Amino acid sequence: MAMEAGSGSARTLAACVIGGIVLGASVLALHLAGPTAIPSLPPLDAVRRRFRRRRRPVRVYMDGCFDMMHYGHCNALRQARALGDELIVGVISDEEIKANKGPPVTPLHERMIMVRAVKWVDDIIPDAPYAITEEFMNKLFTEYDIDYIIHGDDPCLLPDGTDAYALAKKAGRYKQIKRTEGVSTTDIVGRMLLCVRERSSDAHNHSSLQRQFSSGHGQKVDDGGSGSGTRVSHFLPTSRRIVQFSNSRGPGPDSRIVYIDGAFDLFHAGHVEILRLARELGDFLLVGIHTDQTISSTRGRHRPIMNLHERSLSVLACRHVDEVIIGAPWDVSKDMITTFNISLVVHGTIAENMDFMEDDSNPYAVPKAMGIYRRLESPLDITTSTIIRRIVANHEAYQKRNEKKEASEKKYYESKSFVNGE
């Protein structure tokens, strides 16, 4: 026992000696290295500043005319929002559009309603300039805390041929997204111009334009004099695009579900405002979108201008909408009300072909009998025909605008390459 105790004491003594040597060597090394070798902690306020910088949301900016807003615009805004935490959108003034592209179809106040309603938009800047000048770019960076300026991969040239985003690119604050193919404002105006030509010409015996658009078969149609044609884009719908536009949540078990249906063709500010009112009446807004065939049978063979999938995406992008029925039936049946647990069916006072409300075959007869039908006063007196009349009234100006734009779009398609994005 005494030997074991002695051995333990010796080991302890040896450990202490070795530890002392190591500690002494460490202190000597620090002394010889000087004070600069000792790492210093950053000041507390510097740490806080870094933490705040990391926590500050990334703000991105995208501008545009957003004239006759369609799902292509919405998809661009969706892609832009994915590049940051907050999306600020500049809506270009009527005067700037007229000077750079030709007369807009929809005025600024209607375009602002449309952009505000897109669910990926956090704020807007009205009357934005067409060109990103140095003064405006600095304003974006300082006053609006913008980190990056976003645009599609299609070129945006000023009348003098220079790149509208050259300064942002030079500053290293520019990011690019993929252009949504298959639709453009030029294309939609072209569809309406085709309708005008087809209706005014007895010599042509074309099939219904909506059938061409729905099946994705565009064709060049001579404009009857100028020798130029109007190209109709090919829309390529995918299930992924519908998922990207859809909301991830459904109604709760006790949700008050409001239902409204219609064509929602050439989705416009009048549509947005009636959807906003409908959404305020419940917890969940379900929107029924009628088929191309239903619309053709009630509004003529040249309608709709936009096909069912195109119209569905436009409605899905609206922040007031929770879910859509793609290809909703004309009649609102008891089975449909039960299936979707609909609490209220609504319809606006401004719509096309309101005569059916007085017919024996009123599509809202069942919800009326159940006491769950309500007519809403439409905030804006705008219909799809309103938009078409604007095009017809200024036919020549829009024809010239389209010819110029079609040339640049043709150049884009001929030289385009793959760009990451969706």
Side-chain angles (χ1 to χ4, degrees):
M1 294 292 289
M3 288 182 62
E4 290 180 5
S7 176
S9 299
R11 282 197 297 269
T12 303
L13 179 62
C16 290
V17 171
I18 294 171
I21 293 171
V22 171
L23 178 61
S26 300
V27 171
L28 179 62
L30 289 172
H31 175 71
L32 293 174
T36 55
I38 301 175
S40 59
L41 294 174
L44 186 59
D45 58 341
V47 173
R48 285 173 177 163
R49 281 198 300 272
R50 287 181 198 169
F51 185 66
R52 279 198 297 268
R53 277 201 298 270
R54 283 200 299 268
R55 289 194 63 187
R56 187 179 75 79
V58 175
R59 289 164 64 87
V60 296
Y61 173 82
M62 171 173 265
D63 61 13
C65 301
F66 304 104
D67 194 19
M68 294 186 62
M69 195 161 185
H70 48 72
Y71 67 91
H73 291 131
C74 298
N75 193 46
L77 295 173
R78 182 190 65 80
Q79 290 184 79
R81 180 64 168 72
L83 295 177
D85 302 305
E86 295 176 359
L87 172 61
I88 315 302
V89 179
V91 185
I92 297 170
S93 68
D94 294 341
E95 293 73 23
E96 288 271 279
I97 296 175
K98 188 178 293 185
N100 289 278
K101 300 178 71 172
V105 180
T106 48
L108 178 63
H109 72 277
E110 290 182 20
R111 292 185 285 117
M112 286 174 60
I113 289 173
M114 296 299 295
V115 176
R116 280 191 196 277
V118 177
K119 59 188 176 185
W120 299 290
V121 174
D122 295 289
D123 201 0
I124 67 171
I125 301 175
D127 289 314
Y130 189 81
I132 303 289
T133 63
E134 188 169 1
E135 179 185 2
F136 184 70
M137 185 173 70
N138 290 333
K139 185 177 181 180
L140 289 176
F141 296 157
T142 57
E143 293 186 27
Y144 293 97
D145 290 326
I146 298 300
D147 294 288
Y148 298 102
I149 294 171
I150 316 293
H151 191 259
D153 63 314
D154 53 321
C156 182
L157 302 179
L158 299 174
D160 62 1
T162 59
D163 184 354
Y165 296 90
L167 289 175
K169 292 176 181 177
K170 186 177 180 181
R173 305 283 285 273
Y174 176 85
K175 287 191 175 184
Q176 186 171 273
I177 60 170
K178 188 172 183 177
R179 183 183 193 268
T180 305
E181 297 182 17
V183 70
S184 66
T185 299
T186 306
D187 172 57
I188 296 170
V189 170
R191 297 185 194 190
M192 285 183 276
L193 292 175
L194 285 176
C195 290
V196 173
R197 294 178 199 136
E198 196 171 312
R199 281 199 299 264
S200 62
S201 176
D202 294 329
H204 290 80
N205 185 27
H206 299 141
S207 62
S208 166
L209 284 176
Q210 73 87 4
R211 290 196 192 95
Q212 296 172 30
F213 303 147
S214 298
S215 61
H217 298 300
Q219 59 179 359
K220 270 197 170 185
V221 180
D222 189 80
D223 67 4
S226 71
S228 65
T230 299
R231 181 184 60 80
V232 175
S233 298
H234 290 212
F235 173 54
L236 303 175
T238 64
S239 58
R240 183 170 184 178
R241 179 72 76 231
I242 294 174
V243 170
Q244 288 169 338
F245 274 52
S246 299
N247 293 339
S248 58
R249 66 177 186 87
D254 300 319
S255 293
R256 178 176 168 82
I257 299 174
V258 180
Y259 178 75
I260 185 170
D261 61 5
F264 299 101
D265 194 17
L266 297 178
F267 196 63
H268 52 69
H271 292 137
V272 167
E273 288 296 270
I274 197 66
L275 291 174
R276 176 180 60 80
L277 291 185
R279 182 60 176 80
E280 291 174 356
L281 296 176
D283 307 305
F284 192 92
L285 181 60
L286 177 64
V287 181
I289 303 174
H290 294 148
T291 66
D292 298 338
Q293 291 72 24
T294 296
I295 298 168
S296 291
S297 65
T298 57
R299 301 183 188 180
R301 73 187 186 95
H302 297 286
R303 302 282 286 276
I305 302 296
M306 309 291 284
N307 71 48
L308 176 60
H309 288 102
E310 293 176 311
R311 292 182 285 116
S312 297
L313 290 176
S314 292
V315 175
L316 275 172
C318 181
R319 68 172 70 249
H320 310 305
V321 176
D322 294 293
E323 181 64 287
V324 303
I325 300 175
I326 302 175
W330 178 252
D331 295 300
V332 182
S333 65
K334 175 70 181 299
D335 180 67
M336 179 178 167
I337 292 170
T338 304
T339 298
F340 292 101
N341 196 27
I342 295 169
S343 304
L344 183 67
V345 177
V346 300
H347 195 277
T349 54
I350 300 296
E352 299 182 75
N353 299 338
M354 291 291 284
D355 295 342
F356 65 79
M357 300 296 289
E358 311 302 327
D359 295 343
D360 294 335
S361 58
N362 187 334
Y364 304 105
V366 171
K368 272 188 171 184
M370 295 174 64
I372 61 169
Y373 176 82
R374 181 171 170 182
R375 224 170 147 188
L376 299 180
E377 190 69 33
S378 298
L380 295 177
D381 185 9
I382 304 174
T383 65
T384 300
S385 292
T386 304
I387 308 298
I388 295 175
R389 282 195 295 270
R390 292 176 184 175
I391 297 293
V392 174
N394 210 357
H395 177 276
E396 290 186 9
Y398 291 122
Q399 181 67 54
K400 290 178 181 177
R401 169 180 158 175
N402 264 28
E403 287 173 5
K404 182 179 177 181
K405 185 65 176 174
E406 282 168 359
S408 65
E409 288 192 2
K410 181 181 179 182
K411 187 176 180 180
Y412 162 77
Y413 278 104
E414 288 175 348
S415 60
K416 77 166 186 174
S417 58
F418 178 76
V419 173
N420 284 325
E422 48 187 4

